[in-house]
Amino acid sequence: MENSTDIILLTPPGLEDMLAEDVRRAPPVLRYRRRGEGFVIVSTSTDSLSTVRAAFADLRLADSALAYVGELTGIQGEREEALGRIRAFGSSMPVSSAVALARAWGAPVPETPSFRISCDRSGTHKFTSVDVGKELGGGVVEQTSWPVSLKVYDLNICALVMEDVLIVGVLLTGGASRAERPRKGVTDVREAARTTLRRSMCNALLRLAGVSRGDIVCDPMCGSGALVCEATTIEPLTFSLGGDIADGCASAAGANCIFPGAPCRERHLIAGWDVTALPLRDSCIDCIAVDMPFGRMCGSWRQNRRVYPRALREMSRVLRKGGTAVLLTLERKVILRCLEQLQPVLFECVDERRITMGYELFAFTLRNVVDNSHGG
């Protein structure tokens, strides 16, 4: 009889359905169990962990993997009662079995590991994330006598608090401070330019855009080039264009696209350009995927009100009729106002997806309805 275990795959909240679909198409070594806000739980055999690791590498919407420890319900009561239950759970949950899985996964975990608690909480509670970490960690210490270390640790025990449920797992994918960091930030990007997206988010935006074999894909505000790199990773026979007006972004994106092993070394073009005056001919692009300025790290709310409508006009001009533009933005009202007020009508909004990544973001999928081709 095979030894089975559960693994929690983390993804930005709002992309769980897409990750669940990928899991169902994955090799049978991964068996879909259920999903929740920001995660998908799969079941697998402990005898096939090398195959599981390879399958995980192909799940580009998954940011990290956790060895499932257990879960606790009924934590939305009074503060002291809820925290007492969390501490009791920490002192009895089977954390040692998850550590054994982490070792089998390849993590160098010593006999007496140091650990930290990371808490990701959503919903309304009478306690804080710090309270959860303190009580859950206290319970683990009571059970194991392992030392706590917030900076130099061997295990990262993750607590996912969602409304009335607490799910606990041990981070498998490079979560220890002594180990290689997890694939958190980028697709194949090494330059430290601003606006770098997680690989999972890049993959999601390009899939929402419907990128397919032979397409010409453009990110007209490319930052450090994460979307440009990812486009040729998910569909090798694409050609990616990227550009940005910000100082240093075009050079950083260019460097990211040509480092040894980059998937897009010969199938990309990076330029310094202005999204409101793109140096591209009409109707030459099949798909656009772009991380619009939120007005936080880049731009401002005032600038966005001026730039967004002009950028949308240029995107419509360079897109073929029926081509798709996917825009990730914090400025939902500005996008909706542009779609309502721009005349003639440029885009049909076919989907709006809410995604949480610190901020509550929105991914708009727009279909170009204007024929800008010569003689069109």
Short mmCIF file of all heavy atoms in Angstrom, two decimals, residues 311-361:
data_model
loop_
_atom_site.label_atom_id
_atom_site.label_comp_id
_atom_site.label_asym_id
_atom_site.label_seq_id
_atom_site.Cartn_x
_atom_site.Cartn_y
_atom_site.Cartn_z
N ALA A 311 -2.86 55.45 -23.46
CA ALA A 311 -2.26 54.13 -23.62
C ALA A 311 -3.24 53.14 -24.24
O ALA A 311 -2.87 52.35 -25.13
CB ALA A 311 -1.78 53.61 -22.27
N LEU A 312 -4.50 53.21 -23.83
CA LEU A 312 -5.50 52.29 -24.39
C LEU A 312 -5.71 52.56 -25.88
O LEU A 312 -5.89 51.63 -26.68
CB LEU A 312 -6.82 52.43 -23.64
CG LEU A 312 -6.88 51.72 -22.28
CD1 LEU A 312 -8.14 52.12 -21.53
CD2 LEU A 312 -6.80 50.22 -22.46
N ARG A 313 -5.68 53.82 -26.29
CA ARG A 313 -5.82 54.14 -27.72
C ARG A 313 -4.67 53.53 -28.52
O ARG A 313 -4.88 52.96 -29.60
CB ARG A 313 -5.86 55.65 -27.93
CG ARG A 313 -7.17 56.30 -27.54
CD ARG A 313 -7.26 57.72 -28.10
NE ARG A 313 -8.48 58.37 -27.65
CZ ARG A 313 -9.67 58.19 -28.22
NH1 ARG A 313 -9.78 57.37 -29.24
NH2 ARG A 313 -10.73 58.83 -27.76
N GLU A 314 -3.45 53.66 -28.00
CA GLU A 314 -2.29 53.10 -28.71
C GLU A 314 -2.33 51.58 -28.73
O GLU A 314 -1.99 50.95 -29.75
CB GLU A 314 -0.99 53.56 -28.06
CG GLU A 314 -0.47 54.88 -28.56
CD GLU A 314 -0.10 54.80 -30.03
OE1 GLU A 314 1.05 54.47 -30.36
OE2 GLU A 314 -0.98 55.09 -30.88
N MET A 315 -2.75 50.96 -27.64
CA MET A 315 -2.85 49.50 -27.62
C MET A 315 -3.87 49.02 -28.65
O MET A 315 -3.64 48.03 -29.36
CB MET A 315 -3.24 49.01 -26.23
CG MET A 315 -2.17 49.21 -25.18
SD MET A 315 -2.70 48.56 -23.57
CE MET A 315 -1.71 49.56 -22.45
N SER A 316 -4.99 49.71 -28.75
CA SER A 316 -6.00 49.35 -29.75
C SER A 316 -5.45 49.52 -31.16
O SER A 316 -5.72 48.70 -32.05
CB SER A 316 -7.25 50.20 -29.56
OG SER A 316 -8.18 49.96 -30.59
N ARG A 317 -4.67 50.56 -31.37
CA ARG A 317 -4.13 50.82 -32.72
C ARG A 317 -3.19 49.71 -33.17
O ARG A 317 -3.26 49.26 -34.31
CB ARG A 317 -3.38 52.16 -32.73
CG ARG A 317 -2.78 52.52 -34.10
CD ARG A 317 -1.96 53.78 -34.06
NE ARG A 317 -0.75 53.64 -33.26
CZ ARG A 317 0.38 53.05 -33.70
NH1 ARG A 317 0.41 52.52 -34.92
NH2 ARG A 317 1.43 52.97 -32.92
N VAL A 318 -2.29 49.24 -32.27
CA VAL A 318 -1.30 48.26 -32.69
C VAL A 318 -1.84 46.83 -32.65
O VAL A 318 -1.25 45.92 -33.26
CB VAL A 318 -0.01 48.37 -31.85
CG1 VAL A 318 0.58 49.77 -31.97
CG2 VAL A 318 -0.25 48.00 -30.39
N LEU A 319 -2.95 46.60 -31.94
CA LEU A 319 -3.55 45.26 -31.90
C LEU A 319 -4.34 44.99 -33.17
O LEU A 319 -5.01 45.87 -33.71
CB LEU A 319 -4.50 45.14 -30.72
CG LEU A 319 -4.00 44.57 -29.40
CD1 LEU A 319 -5.12 44.62 -28.36
CD2 LEU A 319 -3.49 43.15 -29.55
N ARG A 320 -4.28 43.73 -33.64
CA ARG A 320 -5.15 43.33 -34.74
C ARG A 320 -6.59 43.29 -34.23
O ARG A 320 -6.85 43.17 -33.02
CB ARG A 320 -4.75 41.97 -35.29
CG ARG A 320 -4.87 40.84 -34.28
CD ARG A 320 -4.61 39.49 -34.92
NE ARG A 320 -4.58 38.43 -33.93
CZ ARG A 320 -5.64 37.85 -33.40
NH1 ARG A 320 -6.87 38.26 -33.74
NH2 ARG A 320 -5.52 36.89 -32.51
N LYS A 321 -7.54 43.37 -35.12
CA LYS A 321 -8.94 43.26 -34.72
C LYS A 321 -9.18 41.86 -34.14
O LYS A 321 -8.78 40.86 -34.72
CB LYS A 321 -9.87 43.48 -35.91
CG LYS A 321 -11.35 43.49 -35.53
CD LYS A 321 -12.25 43.79 -36.70
CE LYS A 321 -13.71 43.84 -36.26
NZ LYS A 321 -14.62 44.11 -37.40
N GLY A 322 -9.81 41.81 -32.99
CA GLY A 322 -10.02 40.54 -32.30
C GLY A 322 -8.88 40.16 -31.38
O GLY A 322 -8.98 39.19 -30.63
N GLY A 323 -7.77 40.93 -31.45
CA GLY A 323 -6.65 40.67 -30.55
C GLY A 323 -7.02 41.00 -29.11
O GLY A 323 -7.97 41.75 -28.85
N THR A 324 -6.26 40.44 -28.17
CA THR A 324 -6.60 40.54 -26.76
C THR A 324 -5.55 41.35 -26.00
O THR A 324 -4.35 41.19 -26.22
CB THR A 324 -6.70 39.14 -26.13
OG1 THR A 324 -7.65 38.37 -26.86
CG2 THR A 324 -7.13 39.23 -24.67
N ALA A 325 -6.03 42.22 -25.12
CA ALA A 325 -5.16 42.95 -24.20
C ALA A 325 -5.58 42.60 -22.78
O ALA A 325 -6.77 42.70 -22.44
CB ALA A 325 -5.25 44.45 -24.43
N VAL A 326 -4.63 42.19 -21.96
CA VAL A 326 -4.89 41.92 -20.55
C VAL A 326 -4.14 42.95 -19.73
O VAL A 326 -2.91 43.07 -19.84
CB VAL A 326 -4.47 40.49 -20.16
CG1 VAL A 326 -4.65 40.28 -18.65
CG2 VAL A 326 -5.30 39.48 -20.92
N LEU A 327 -4.86 43.69 -18.92
CA LEU A 327 -4.30 44.80 -18.14
C LEU A 327 -4.43 44.48 -16.66
O LEU A 327 -5.54 44.24 -16.17
CB LEU A 327 -5.04 46.10 -18.44
CG LEU A 327 -4.75 46.87 -19.72
CD1 LEU A 327 -4.93 46.03 -20.97
CD2 LEU A 327 -5.64 48.10 -19.81
N LEU A 328 -3.31 44.46 -15.95
CA LEU A 328 -3.33 44.31 -14.50
C LEU A 328 -3.21 45.69 -13.88
O LEU A 328 -2.29 46.45 -14.18
CB LEU A 328 -2.15 43.44 -14.04
CG LEU A 328 -2.06 43.20 -12.52
CD1 LEU A 328 -3.20 42.31 -12.05
CD2 LEU A 328 -0.71 42.58 -12.16
N THR A 329 -4.15 46.02 -13.00
CA THR A 329 -4.18 47.38 -12.48
C THR A 329 -4.81 47.44 -11.10
O THR A 329 -5.60 46.56 -10.72
CB THR A 329 -4.95 48.32 -13.42
OG1 THR A 329 -4.92 49.66 -12.91
CG2 THR A 329 -6.39 47.88 -13.58
N LEU A 330 -4.45 48.45 -10.36
CA LEU A 330 -5.13 48.81 -9.12
C LEU A 330 -6.24 49.81 -9.39
O LEU A 330 -7.17 49.97 -8.59
CB LEU A 330 -4.11 49.40 -8.15
CG LEU A 330 -4.50 49.71 -6.73
CD1 LEU A 330 -4.76 48.44 -5.92
CD2 LEU A 330 -3.42 50.53 -6.03
N GLU A 331 -6.16 50.46 -10.55
CA GLU A 331 -7.05 51.58 -10.88
C GLU A 331 -8.29 51.10 -11.64
O GLU A 331 -8.50 51.40 -12.81
CB GLU A 331 -6.29 52.60 -11.73
CG GLU A 331 -5.06 53.19 -11.04
CD GLU A 331 -5.43 54.36 -10.16
OE1 GLU A 331 -6.60 54.45 -9.73
OE2 GLU A 331 -4.56 55.21 -9.90
N ARG A 332 -9.13 50.33 -10.96
CA ARG A 332 -10.32 49.78 -11.61
C ARG A 332 -11.24 50.86 -12.15
O ARG A 332 -11.74 50.78 -13.29
CB ARG A 332 -11.07 48.89 -10.61
CG ARG A 332 -12.33 48.26 -11.18
CD ARG A 332 -12.98 47.33 -10.16
NE ARG A 332 -14.13 46.68 -10.74
CZ ARG A 332 -15.38 47.14 -10.67
NH1 ARG A 332 -15.61 48.30 -10.02
NH2 ARG A 332 -16.38 46.49 -11.23
N LYS A 333 -11.49 51.88 -11.35
CA LYS A 333 -12.41 52.92 -11.78
C LYS A 333 -11.89 53.68 -12.99
O LYS A 333 -12.67 54.07 -13.87
CB LYS A 333 -12.68 53.90 -10.62
CG LYS A 333 -13.48 53.30 -9.48
CD LYS A 333 -13.75 54.33 -8.40
CE LYS A 333 -14.57 53.74 -7.27
NZ LYS A 333 -14.82 54.74 -6.19
N VAL A 334 -10.57 53.89 -13.05
CA VAL A 334 -10.00 54.60 -14.20
C VAL A 334 -10.17 53.78 -15.47
O VAL A 334 -10.54 54.30 -16.53
CB VAL A 334 -8.51 54.93 -13.95
CG1 VAL A 334 -7.90 55.61 -15.18
CG2 VAL A 334 -8.37 55.83 -12.73
N ILE A 335 -9.93 52.46 -15.39
CA ILE A 335 -10.10 51.60 -16.56
C ILE A 335 -11.55 51.60 -17.01
O ILE A 335 -11.86 51.75 -18.20
CB ILE A 335 -9.64 50.16 -16.25
CG1 ILE A 335 -8.12 50.10 -16.12
CG2 ILE A 335 -10.11 49.20 -17.34
CD1 ILE A 335 -7.37 50.27 -17.42
N LEU A 336 -12.48 51.44 -16.07
CA LEU A 336 -13.90 51.41 -16.44
C LEU A 336 -14.34 52.74 -17.06
O LEU A 336 -15.13 52.76 -18.01
CB LEU A 336 -14.75 51.08 -15.21
CG LEU A 336 -14.59 49.66 -14.64
CD1 LEU A 336 -15.42 49.51 -13.37
CD2 LEU A 336 -15.00 48.62 -15.67
N ARG A 337 -13.81 53.84 -16.53
CA ARG A 337 -14.15 55.15 -17.09
C ARG A 337 -13.61 55.27 -18.52
O ARG A 337 -14.28 55.79 -19.40
CB ARG A 337 -13.58 56.26 -16.21
CG ARG A 337 -14.04 57.67 -16.62
CD ARG A 337 -13.46 58.74 -15.72
NE ARG A 337 -13.86 58.55 -14.34
CZ ARG A 337 -13.02 58.28 -13.35
NH1 ARG A 337 -11.72 58.16 -13.58
NH2 ARG A 337 -13.47 58.13 -12.12
N CYS A 338 -12.40 54.79 -18.74
CA CYS A 338 -11.82 54.83 -20.09
C CYS A 338 -12.66 54.01 -21.07
O CYS A 338 -12.95 54.47 -22.18
CB CYS A 338 -10.39 54.28 -20.07
SG CYS A 338 -9.18 55.35 -19.28
N LEU A 339 -13.05 52.81 -20.66
CA LEU A 339 -13.82 51.95 -21.55
C LEU A 339 -15.17 52.56 -21.88
O LEU A 339 -15.71 52.39 -22.97
CB LEU A 339 -14.01 50.57 -20.91
CG LEU A 339 -12.74 49.73 -20.71
CD1 LEU A 339 -13.07 48.44 -19.98
CD2 LEU A 339 -12.07 49.43 -22.04
N GLU A 340 -15.73 53.30 -20.93
CA GLU A 340 -17.05 53.93 -21.13
C GLU A 340 -16.95 55.19 -21.98
O GLU A 340 -17.82 55.45 -22.83
CB GLU A 340 -17.66 54.26 -19.78
CG GLU A 340 -19.01 54.94 -19.86
CD GLU A 340 -19.55 55.30 -18.49
OE1 GLU A 340 -19.01 54.82 -17.48
OE2 GLU A 340 -20.52 56.09 -18.43
N GLN A 341 -15.88 55.97 -21.80
CA GLN A 341 -15.83 57.30 -22.41
C GLN A 341 -15.07 57.37 -23.73
O GLN A 341 -15.32 58.28 -24.53
CB GLN A 341 -15.20 58.29 -21.42
CG GLN A 341 -16.05 58.51 -20.16
CD GLN A 341 -15.42 59.49 -19.19
OE1 GLN A 341 -14.30 59.97 -19.40
NE2 GLN A 341 -16.14 59.81 -18.11
N LEU A 342 -14.13 56.44 -23.96
CA LEU A 342 -13.36 56.51 -25.20
C LEU A 342 -14.27 56.28 -26.41
O LEU A 342 -15.01 55.30 -26.46
CB LEU A 342 -12.23 55.49 -25.19
CG LEU A 342 -11.01 55.82 -24.31
CD1 LEU A 342 -10.03 54.67 -24.31
CD2 LEU A 342 -10.33 57.10 -24.78
N GLN A 343 -14.20 57.19 -27.37
CA GLN A 343 -14.98 57.09 -28.60
C GLN A 343 -14.06 57.24 -29.81
O GLN A 343 -13.18 58.10 -29.80
CB GLN A 343 -16.08 58.16 -28.62
CG GLN A 343 -17.13 58.01 -27.53
CD GLN A 343 -17.94 56.74 -27.66
OE1 GLN A 343 -18.17 56.28 -28.78
NE2 GLN A 343 -18.38 56.19 -26.54
N PRO A 344 -14.24 56.42 -30.83
CA PRO A 344 -15.19 55.30 -30.89
C PRO A 344 -14.82 54.21 -29.90
O PRO A 344 -13.72 54.21 -29.35
CB PRO A 344 -15.05 54.81 -32.33
CG PRO A 344 -13.63 55.14 -32.69
CD PRO A 344 -13.35 56.46 -32.02
N VAL A 345 -15.73 53.28 -29.69
CA VAL A 345 -15.47 52.17 -28.78
C VAL A 345 -14.28 51.37 -29.30
O VAL A 345 -14.22 51.00 -30.48
CB VAL A 345 -16.71 51.26 -28.66
CG1 VAL A 345 -16.39 50.02 -27.82
CG2 VAL A 345 -17.86 52.03 -28.04
N LEU A 346 -13.29 51.15 -28.42
CA LEU A 346 -12.07 50.46 -28.83
C LEU A 346 -12.05 48.99 -28.40
O LEU A 346 -11.54 48.15 -29.14
CB LEU A 346 -10.85 51.17 -28.22
CG LEU A 346 -10.71 52.66 -28.51
CD1 LEU A 346 -9.49 53.22 -27.78
CD2 LEU A 346 -10.59 52.90 -30.01
N PHE A 347 -12.57 48.73 -27.21
CA PHE A 347 -12.45 47.39 -26.65
C PHE A 347 -13.78 46.88 -26.11
O PHE A 347 -14.60 47.66 -25.64
CB PHE A 347 -11.44 47.37 -25.49
CG PHE A 347 -10.02 47.59 -25.88
CD1 PHE A 347 -9.42 48.83 -25.68
CD2 PHE A 347 -9.26 46.57 -26.43
CE1 PHE A 347 -8.09 49.04 -26.01
CE2 PHE A 347 -7.94 46.77 -26.77
CZ PHE A 347 -7.35 48.01 -26.57
N GLU A 348 -13.94 45.58 -26.16
CA GLU A 348 -15.01 44.89 -25.46
C GLU A 348 -14.38 44.20 -24.25
O GLU A 348 -13.41 43.44 -24.39
CB GLU A 348 -15.66 43.85 -26.37
CG GLU A 348 -16.68 42.97 -25.67
CD GLU A 348 -17.08 41.77 -26.51
OE1 GLU A 348 -16.52 41.59 -27.61
OE2 GLU A 348 -17.96 41.02 -26.05
N CYS A 349 -14.93 44.46 -23.06
CA CYS A 349 -14.41 43.82 -21.86
C CYS A 349 -15.04 42.42 -21.73
O CYS A 349 -16.25 42.30 -21.55
CB CYS A 349 -14.72 44.65 -20.62
SG CYS A 349 -14.05 43.96 -19.09
N VAL A 350 -14.22 41.39 -21.85
CA VAL A 350 -14.75 40.03 -21.84
C VAL A 350 -14.54 39.35 -20.49
O VAL A 350 -15.15 38.30 -20.22
CB VAL A 350 -14.11 39.17 -22.95
CG1 VAL A 350 -14.48 39.74 -24.32
CG2 VAL A 350 -12.60 39.09 -22.81
N ASP A 351 -13.69 39.91 -19.62
CA ASP A 351 -13.49 39.30 -18.31
C ASP A 351 -12.85 40.31 -17.37
O ASP A 351 -12.05 41.15 -17.80
CB ASP A 351 -12.59 38.06 -18.41
CG ASP A 351 -12.45 37.34 -17.08
OD1 ASP A 351 -13.48 36.98 -16.49
OD2 ASP A 351 -11.30 37.13 -16.63
N GLU A 352 -13.22 40.23 -16.11
CA GLU A 352 -12.59 41.02 -15.06
C GLU A 352 -12.33 40.10 -13.88
O GLU A 352 -13.26 39.48 -13.35
CB GLU A 352 -13.48 42.19 -14.63
CG GLU A 352 -12.90 43.02 -13.50
CD GLU A 352 -13.87 44.08 -12.99
OE1 GLU A 352 -14.85 44.41 -13.70
OE2 GLU A 352 -13.65 44.58 -11.85
N ARG A 353 -11.09 39.97 -13.49
CA ARG A 353 -10.70 39.03 -12.43
C ARG A 353 -10.05 39.79 -11.29
O ARG A 353 -9.14 40.59 -11.50
CB ARG A 353 -9.74 37.98 -13.00
CG ARG A 353 -9.28 36.93 -12.00
CD ARG A 353 -8.35 35.95 -12.67
NE ARG A 353 -9.04 35.10 -13.61
CZ ARG A 353 -9.40 33.84 -13.36
NH1 ARG A 353 -9.13 33.31 -12.18
NH2 ARG A 353 -10.02 33.13 -14.27
N ARG A 354 -10.50 39.52 -10.07
CA ARG A 354 -9.92 40.15 -8.88
C ARG A 354 -8.81 39.26 -8.34
O ARG A 354 -8.99 38.06 -8.13
CB ARG A 354 -11.01 40.34 -7.83
CG ARG A 354 -10.55 41.06 -6.59
CD ARG A 354 -11.73 41.35 -5.67
NE ARG A 354 -12.74 42.16 -6.33
CZ ARG A 354 -13.87 42.55 -5.75
NH1 ARG A 354 -14.13 42.20 -4.51
NH2 ARG A 354 -14.74 43.28 -6.41
N ILE A 355 -7.63 39.85 -8.12
CA ILE A 355 -6.46 39.11 -7.66
C ILE A 355 -5.85 39.89 -6.49
O ILE A 355 -5.71 41.11 -6.57
CB ILE A 355 -5.42 38.95 -8.79
CG1 ILE A 355 -6.05 38.26 -10.00
CG2 ILE A 355 -4.21 38.17 -8.30
CD1 ILE A 355 -5.18 38.28 -11.24
N THR A 356 -5.48 39.19 -5.43
CA THR A 356 -4.92 39.84 -4.26
C THR A 356 -3.42 39.57 -4.18
O THR A 356 -2.99 38.42 -4.13
CB THR A 356 -5.60 39.34 -2.98
OG1 THR A 356 -7.00 39.53 -3.09
CG2 THR A 356 -5.08 40.08 -1.76
N MET A 357 -2.64 40.65 -4.17
CA MET A 357 -1.19 40.54 -3.99
C MET A 357 -0.75 41.73 -3.13
O MET A 357 -0.10 42.65 -3.61
CB MET A 357 -0.47 40.56 -5.34
CG MET A 357 -0.59 39.29 -6.13
SD MET A 357 0.34 39.35 -7.67
CE MET A 357 2.00 39.58 -7.05
N GLY A 358 -1.12 41.70 -1.87
CA GLY A 358 -0.89 42.86 -1.01
C GLY A 358 -2.00 43.87 -1.23
O GLY A 358 -2.72 44.24 -0.32
N TYR A 359 -2.15 44.34 -2.47
CA TYR A 359 -3.28 45.17 -2.87
C TYR A 359 -4.35 44.29 -3.51
O TYR A 359 -4.09 43.17 -3.94
CB TYR A 359 -2.85 46.22 -3.89
CG TYR A 359 -1.79 47.18 -3.42
CD1 TYR A 359 -0.52 47.17 -4.00
CD2 TYR A 359 -2.04 48.11 -2.42
CE1 TYR A 359 0.47 48.06 -3.60
CE2 TYR A 359 -1.07 49.00 -2.00
CZ TYR A 359 0.18 48.97 -2.59
OH TYR A 359 1.15 49.84 -2.18
N GLU A 360 -5.56 44.84 -3.60
CA GLU A 360 -6.61 44.18 -4.37
C GLU A 360 -6.51 44.66 -5.82
O GLU A 360 -6.82 45.80 -6.13
CB GLU A 360 -7.99 44.51 -3.79
CG GLU A 360 -9.12 43.73 -4.44
CD GLU A 360 -10.45 44.01 -3.79
OE1 GLU A 360 -10.97 45.13 -4.00
OE2 GLU A 360 -10.97 43.14 -3.08
N LEU A 361 -6.02 43.78 -6.68
CA LEU A 361 -5.77 44.13 -8.08
C LEU A 361 -6.87 43.58 -8.97
O LEU A 361 -7.66 42.71 -8.57
CB LEU A 361 -4.41 43.57 -8.51
CG LEU A 361 -3.21 43.93 -7.64
CD1 LEU A 361 -1.95 43.28 -8.19
CD2 LEU A 361 -3.05 45.43 -7.55
#
